[in-house]
Amino acid sequence: MIDDGSQWLTVLIAVLGGSIRVGTPFLFVSLGECLTEKSGRINLGLEGNLIMGAMAGYGVAWISGSSWLGVLAAGATGVVLGFIHALLCQQPRVNDIAVGIALMIFGTGLAFFLGKPLIQPTAPHLPALSLGAWSDNPALRAALEINALFIVGVILAPVMAWFFRSTRWGLAIRTVGESDDAARAMGLDVNGVRMLATMAGGFLAGVGGAFLSLYYPGGWSEGLSSGQGLMAVALVIFARWDPVRCLYASLLFGGAGALGPSLQSVGVTWGYYLFNAAPYVLTLVLMIAASSTRVRSGMPGSLAAR
């Protein structure tokens, strides 16, 4: 049990550090899904992108000896799956939700099949910045060990918000997401814009997978993602399709995921599995909350019309 203030401080620091580590994959997948949904398309297949990215990133990093080549390879697998998703969704009478579920199963199964030889080898990990080297507190040093991909995600979130708000390409994506007819009246290629947005979203989800296998928890195994790709869809709804809010929501989800291990580290063992279920409970609560008009107010018009 926690019996003094220092242990509570340790738990708090561990949760804060864990929110960064656990929240980074959520961040990249949610930004990818936000970009895709802004164009008027839902991609539930990002779970498959995440797992394929983790497998491909780990394999390429092991073969090449470069973790950053692994990140690029992971993003490339996401681009390919995003292209397949967009291509299928352009066909008449094809439902993008059904296609996303099919590609999630396909990507997961393919990653498990191709990744069997990668369970034993050790690939180089992504570098981290030790911002807590000044402290003698081990928990604080661990919490302030920030991976480079998290910094990229923190920068990417406001850049993406600016992109949607202030650039011609961002306006094109928003217009396509709001109304097919209005986009065609402006001379935009609706299918082309959605394809590019879906491929870019897949790239970001693949990069999130590379973080899982090349940094935290590290290594390749079949249970690596724990459904984070699907939970990111609820995260985007909660963030009201705003990239900066996706950053905040990712840290919230990450903190929920880090709560169980943080309490266990100071001897709190009761309710361990209950605390580990916190991200899934949070997802359920957010999906229920998403049914309200207030939360749905930021939804792109093409999605709201369904």
Side-chain angles (χ1 to χ4, degrees):
M1 293 293 292
I2 298 177
D3 55 9
D4 58 46
S6 64
Q7 287 187 316
W8 278 114
L9 180 60
T10 299
V11 170
L12 178 61
I13 292 173
V15 169
L16 291 176
S19 69
I20 295 174
R21 291 190 296 271
V22 180
T24 299
F26 282 119
L27 175 58
F28 279 93
V29 180
S30 64
L31 290 177
E33 181 65 10
C34 181
L35 176 58
T36 302
E37 292 193 17
K38 278 286 191 180
S39 71
R41 173 167 290 150
I42 298 175
N43 186 0
L44 294 182
L46 290 184
E47 173 73 10
N49 290 38
L50 186 74
I51 298 174
M52 274 293 294
M55 184 278 298
Y58 195 80
V60 170
W62 171 53
I63 293 171
S64 67
S66 170
S67 57
W68 290 111
L69 283 179
V71 171
L72 292 178
T77 62
V79 170
V80 172
L81 289 176
F83 172 77
I84 295 173
H85 185 280
L87 188 64
L88 292 175
C89 290
Q90 290 177 8
Q91 308 309 311
R93 296 184 296 278
V94 173
N95 183 277
D96 54 356
I97 295 178
V99 170
I101 294 173
L103 285 177
M104 175 183 66
I105 297 172
F106 170 75
T108 301
L110 184 62
F112 290 172
F113 175 74
L114 297 177
K116 287 189 179 298
L118 302 176
I119 295 177
Q120 293 297 329
T122 301
H125 280 200
L126 288 165
L129 304 177
S130 299
L131 302 182
W134 52 270
S135 174
D136 294 330
N137 188 324
L140 185 59
R141 288 202 304 270
L144 293 179
E145 189 172 86
I146 309 298
N147 184 266
L149 275 183
F150 174 73
I151 298 175
V152 172
V154 169
I155 296 173
L156 183 60
V159 168
M160 187 178 291
W162 168 82
F163 169 79
F164 287 135
R165 184 178 61 250
S166 304
T167 68
R168 183 175 180 179
W169 274 98
L171 177 61
I173 292 173
R174 289 169 51 203
T175 302
V176 169
E178 289 297 329
S179 171
D180 292 14
D181 293 335
R184 292 190 181 97
M186 294 176 61
L188 296 174
D189 181 357
V190 173
N191 287 335
V193 171
R194 284 181 177 157
M195 175 171 283
L196 291 175
T198 306
M199 291 168 65
F203 177 87
L204 292 176
V207 170
F211 180 89
L212 285 175
S213 60
L214 295 178
Y215 186 71
Y216 183 84
W220 162 250
S221 67
E222 295 183 355
L224 196 61
S225 76
S226 303
Q228 292 184 30
L230 284 174
M231 286 189 283
V233 177
L235 190 154
V236 172
I237 297 172
F238 175 64
R240 300 188 200 175
W241 297 268
D242 184 309
V244 176
R245 287 176 179 162
C246 284
L247 169 60
Y248 302 147
S250 297
L251 294 174
L252 176 64
F253 270 64
L259 182 60
S262 299
L263 289 172
Q264 189 183 37
S265 69
V266 294
V268 178
T269 56
W270 62 268
Y272 175 72
Y273 294 104
L274 180 62
F275 288 121
N276 280 348
Y280 307 99
V281 174
L282 183 59
T283 301
L284 179 61
V285 170
L286 295 183
M287 292 305 293
I288 295 173
S291 62
S292 70
T293 304
R294 183 171 178 267
V295 173
R296 289 168 60 91
S297 62
M299 180 181 292
S302 295
L303 300 181
R306 297 182 180 182

